[in-house]
Amino acid sequence: MADINRDSDEIELASPPRFSYGERVIARSVVRNDGTYNGRDIGEVLVNKGEIGYVININTFLQQFYIYAVDFVESGHRVGMRAKELCTLDNLPEEVLAQLGEKATALQTLGSAQTTKES
């Protein structure tokens, strides 16, 4: 039987999931259909880098990785992604928020129905 390439020696399941249900996340790279997304051609772009979504489910793969089902509202796709393909928008460390300065306040409304305009 052929060996399965596990991508790394790290066992993510030894730690709690990095993201939680309902958490806003942003895609760190373009995601293309690898053949597992029905109704779309293989290689077709499903999610663009920088697209914002919400974690709707957490599963596992190969008894090693967490797979986060993310609902990307803008494109309408629900895609399974690894933690390394995502970045949180809701739980950034304080030192990152400090480096962002005033721009950190804009993160609060990204991907939400809140508006930044004042009437």
Side-chain angles (χ1 to χ4, degrees):
M1 189 171 182
D3 290 332
I4 295 175
N5 182 0
R6 291 191 172 239
D7 192 34
S8 77
D9 293 329
E10 179 185 358
I11 306 290
E12 287 180 12
L13 301 182
S15 302
R18 195 174 308 170
F19 306 107
S20 57
Y21 291 97
E23 188 168 346
R24 279 182 314 148
V25 292
I26 190 166
R28 296 177 68 184
S29 60
V30 171
V31 176
R32 297 179 182 277
N33 186 10
D34 61 2
T36 58
Y37 195 94
N38 290 330
R40 300 291 178 168
D41 292 333
I42 293 175
E44 186 174 340
V45 173
L46 299 174
V47 177
N48 289 302
K49 181 178 180 178
E51 195 168 339
I52 297 169
Y54 295 85
V55 175
I56 59 171
N57 202 353
I58 302 170
N59 286 303
T60 63
F61 181 66
L62 295 177
Q63 299 177 351
Q64 182 177 11
F65 305 112
Y66 287 108
I67 299 295
Y68 301 91
V70 181
D71 185 6
F72 290 96
V73 181
E74 186 176 318
S75 65
H77 295 126
R78 291 182 175 179
V79 180
M81 299 180 72
R82 299 258 320 267
K84 68 181 185 178
E85 299 173 306
L86 299 166
C87 181
T88 184
L89 288 176
D90 289 338
N91 299 309
L92 290 170
E94 290 299 323
E95 59 270 10
V96 172
L97 293 172
Q99 289 178 348
L100 289 172
E102 292 179 13
K103 294 178 184 177
T105 57
L107 289 177
Q108 296 173 357
T109 58
L110 281 178
S112 69
Q114 297 176 357
T115 59
T116 55
K117 291 183 182 179
E118 295 200 17
S119 301

